[in-house]
Amino acid sequence: APNVRRKGNPKMLFMGLRRSGKSSIQKVVFEKLSPADTLFLEPTSRIGTVKMQSFITFESVELPHQLSATTPDFDHHAVFSHIGAVIWVLDVQDEYLTSISEMIQTAVFLAENYPRVNFEVFIHKTDGLSEEYKYETFREVRQRVQDELSDLGHGDRSVSYFQTSIFDHSIFEAMSKVVQRLLPQLPAMEALLNKLCSTCGIQKAYLFDTMSKIYVATDASPTFLKDYEVCSDYVDVIVDIKQIYGWHGQDGEGKAVSERRNQDDGDIGESMVTYDRSGDTYIYAREINDYLSLICVMGKGSTTNKRVLIDYNVGILHDALLQVFKV
Ligand code: GDP
């Protein structure tokens, strides 16, 4: 069967024109390169793989532009049969009609040969564009692609579009959504987070992969960009603190973060801080294991004064999540 892929380990293939930003995205998300340092990346000329070992293995592959899905004599089976998603990167600051036509060829090729591979479009390098221009180009690209796919008889092919930039949170949010669609554990994780939020009156809960800053699940309540950004920034804080003290901290050392250590679970880092001036909103952070962090936004309605209840319920969530990921 042409559609085999190992479940559970999200594997993504980046495609797009030369210098559209494929390497930069992978380096920034999976190798923690600072965005400014991508300026002088060497162009990719061979198929390159980046792996990040976390609670699961994230694997991303980049197809150099001279190879396309329809290049003759190119063993596409070796490339496409193992991936979960193709991410097409389109440089919106450049002339993009060529990119669109190649993107459509690729989408059609996938629809006909590997229909189970998700097709995701990153309308990339949106930094520095006016809101209006951003909105217009997004609409135009999406409309063109949909129209042409319909004309070619693939109008039912679902394609997701994201506006991205490596200079803000958008690239992490887009990558999170791409990864989530590849995780068989997603429904279980979402159900657990929904339960936690309703029990404790939590506004929003994110389960982050600490290293990549990709969130692997969130509850069903509406997402506000500000909440997401604050939580995402908090993950950076956790990583920094971990590097300095270690969540676990040898006796005494880690007290700044490990306010409490649970005897049964071993060492668990946990913290609660306010993040707005009024002091009405809190960020609650708790490490699930070495790789996963739970970050919650709690407002007035939350049971912030009932810390014990929250700790208890997060403890239950913690155990359930470990079950979900038990191999
Ligand atoms: P690739 O050939 O597709 O792998 O492209 P690269 O990753 O080498 O990126 C080409 C150029 O685009 C580099 O100079 C990057 O700094 C730049 N670039 C990548 N992402 C962004 C972005 O989000 N915004 C802006 N303004 N530039 C970007």
Side-chain angles (χ1 to χ4, degrees):
N3 267 306
V4 275
R5 81 174 158 83
R6 284 240 313 285
K7 271 199 144 187
N9 280 340
K11 194 166 170 182
M12 296 147 281
L13 177 69
F14 283 86
M15 295 181 72
L17 300 190
R18 240 184 118 249
R19 305 210 44 86
S20 54
K22 303 181 292 297
S23 314
S24 306
I25 296 173
Q26 297 180 86
K27 300 249 183 225
V28 168
V29 175
F30 294 119
E31 294 180 344
K32 300 294 135 207
L33 189 71
S34 107
D37 291 340
T38 63
L39 215 62
F40 307 108
L41 284 179
E42 290 289 318
T44 314
S45 51
R46 46 189 195 85
I47 299 179
T49 305
V50 179
K51 272 192 188 176
M52 183 180 232
Q53 181 62 53
S54 190
F55 69 106
I56 42 176
T57 308
F58 295 104
E59 198 173 333
S60 83
V61 184
E62 178 179 347
L63 201 61
H65 175 244
Q66 65 270 23
L67 288 179
S68 77
T70 47
T71 309
D73 298 333
F74 159 54
D75 183 3
H76 32 74
H77 188 69
V79 174
F80 290 100
S81 58
H82 301 291
I83 52 165
V86 165
I87 298 171
W88 188 276
V89 183
L90 176 138
D91 179 349
V92 76
Q93 296 192 4
D94 196 20
E95 177 50 58
Y96 52 72
L97 291 182
T98 319
S99 180
I100 290 185
S101 71
E102 291 191 20
M103 179 204 303
I104 288 161
Q105 281 176 25
T106 308
V108 169
F109 169 83
L110 288 176
E112 287 171 354
N113 298 281
Y114 302 96
R116 261 183 270 170
V117 173
N118 299 338
F119 193 66
E120 322 272 4
V121 175
F122 284 8
I123 298 173
H124 190 56
K125 307 195 190 177
T126 53
D127 48 280
L129 303 182
S130 73
E131 281 305 315
E132 198 186 339
Y133 184 79
K134 235 163 87 168
Y135 174 75
E136 276 306 315
T137 44
F138 183 77
R139 241 189 37 152
E140 189 195 322
V141 171
R142 195 174 52 182
Q143 194 61 50
R144 266 175 192 270
V145 177
Q146 281 326 130
D147 287 352
E148 295 208 30
L149 283 179
S150 304
D151 289 349
L152 293 165
H154 292 289
D156 56 344
R157 169 83 194 171
S158 99
V159 181
S160 311
Y161 302 85
F162 302 90
Q163 310 194 56
T164 55
S165 162
I166 52 171
F167 292 98
D168 56 36
H169 294 89
S170 60
I171 193 62
F172 293 97
E173 197 172 20
M175 287 300 292
S176 300
K177 297 201 169 130
V178 169
V179 165
Q180 284 169 29
R181 290 177 63 183
L182 299 175
L183 293 178
Q185 301 93 339
L186 183 66
M189 291 190 288
E190 285 177 341
L192 289 167
L193 291 175
N194 285 340
K195 185 86 202 304
L196 176 76
C197 289
S198 63
T199 315
C200 299
I202 289 172
Q203 251 174 44
K204 191 75 194 160
Y206 289 100
L207 191 60
F208 275 94
D209 174 66
T210 316
M211 262 193 291
S212 63
K213 269 209 321 187
I214 282 175
Y215 69 94
V216 293
T218 185
D219 66 290
S221 67
T223 304
F224 297 103
L225 187 62
K226 180 166 177 263
D227 288 346
Y228 167 68
E229 289 179 353
V230 170
C231 290
S232 172
D233 286 344
Y234 206 82
V235 178
D236 286 333
V237 176
I238 291 179
V239 172
D240 289 347
I241 293 175
K242 261 183 136 168
Q243 271 167 1
I244 300 169
Y245 303 101
W247 261 120
H248 319 320
Q250 264 69 49
D251 285 311
E253 267 185 26
K255 277 207 175 108
V257 279
S258 299
E259 294 172 15
R260 189 194 64 139
R261 285 158 67 183
N262 187 321
Q263 296 294 317
D264 306 329
D265 295 335
D267 301 329
I268 288 173
E270 185 193 34
S271 82
M272 179 125 91
V273 292
T274 56
Y275 87 79
D276 65 351
R277 268 169 204 226
S278 62
D280 285 339
T281 315
Y282 293 80
I283 297 286
Y284 174 89
R286 166 123 167 200
E287 188 182 40
I288 300 294
N289 61 22
D290 278 346
Y291 303 113
L292 292 174
S293 308
L294 173 75
I295 318 269
C296 302
V297 179
M298 299 193 284
K300 266 190 175 149
S302 306
T303 40
T304 38
N305 48 351
K306 297 187 192 131
R307 182 71 177 271
V308 180
L309 177 69
I310 294 172
D311 284 349
Y312 175 73
N313 282 289
V314 171
I316 293 176
L317 174 95
H318 171 266
D319 295 345
L321 280 171
L322 293 185
Q323 286 296 319
V324 169
F325 286 103
K326 213 174 201 165
V327 218

